[in-house]
Amino acid sequence: QVQLVESGGGSVQPGGSLTLSCAASGIIFSTYTIKWYRQAPGKERELVATITTNDSTYYADSVKGRFTISRDNAKNTAYLQMNSLKPEDTAVYYCYATYWKGYWGQGTQVTVSS
């Protein structure tokens, strides 16, 4: 019944922008902390950004100043706005919702290349 669906991934040139969405169902969305992770081929899964239930935000140093995490509880949706994209941002991006248990989305591919 719980479902997290990421969308908005794609291919973009360096310096470009993308906004990812994470649409949730089957949970009381406003009670969950939302995190975005990413995983590049051959690399460990990396925590990119977090937004808490009281709208505190946290970012990995590698994306600070370029990415913005947000949420719209009325729409049961979280977002990751990505600006000034770099080739090293290329990865599969995953949404993770956690309260007492945690739930993962299926991931969406982001590719940054010339």
Side-chain angles (χ1 to χ4, degrees):
Q1 289 190 356
V2 176
Q3 190 172 18
L4 301 176
V5 180
E6 299 99 331
S7 61
S11 183
V12 67
Q13 293 185 340
S17 298
L18 286 172
T19 299
L20 306 183
S21 298
C22 173
S25 60
I27 61 172
I28 303 174
F29 183 78
S30 62
T31 70
Y32 279 72
T33 290
I34 306 298
K35 299 177 183 286
W36 285 96
Y37 287 80
R38 66 186 182 188
Q39 189 164 25
K43 304 294 184 181
E44 298 281 352
R45 188 166 295 188
E46 173 190 21
L47 177 61
V48 175
T50 298
I51 185 164
T52 70
T53 56
N54 64 356
D55 290 332
S56 295
T57 57
Y58 305 91
Y59 300 94
D61 288 342
S62 58
V63 308
K64 193 171 297 182
R66 300 187 298 121
F67 290 12
T68 303
I69 189 171
S70 61
R71 66 193 298 160
D72 186 340
N73 290 337
K75 296 182 181 293
N76 286 354
T77 302
Y79 306 92
L80 185 68
Q81 181 180 315
M82 304 184 295
N83 298 324
S84 302
L85 283 162
K86 304 174 180 179
E88 50 262 47
D89 296 319
T90 296
V92 177
Y93 283 72
Y94 297 91
C95 180
Y96 179 71
T98 183
Y99 169 54
W100 199 81
K101 298 179 178 179
Y103 302 95
W104 290 94
Q106 82 290 346
T108 186
Q109 177 71 49
V110 172
T111 301
V112 185
S113 64
S114 299

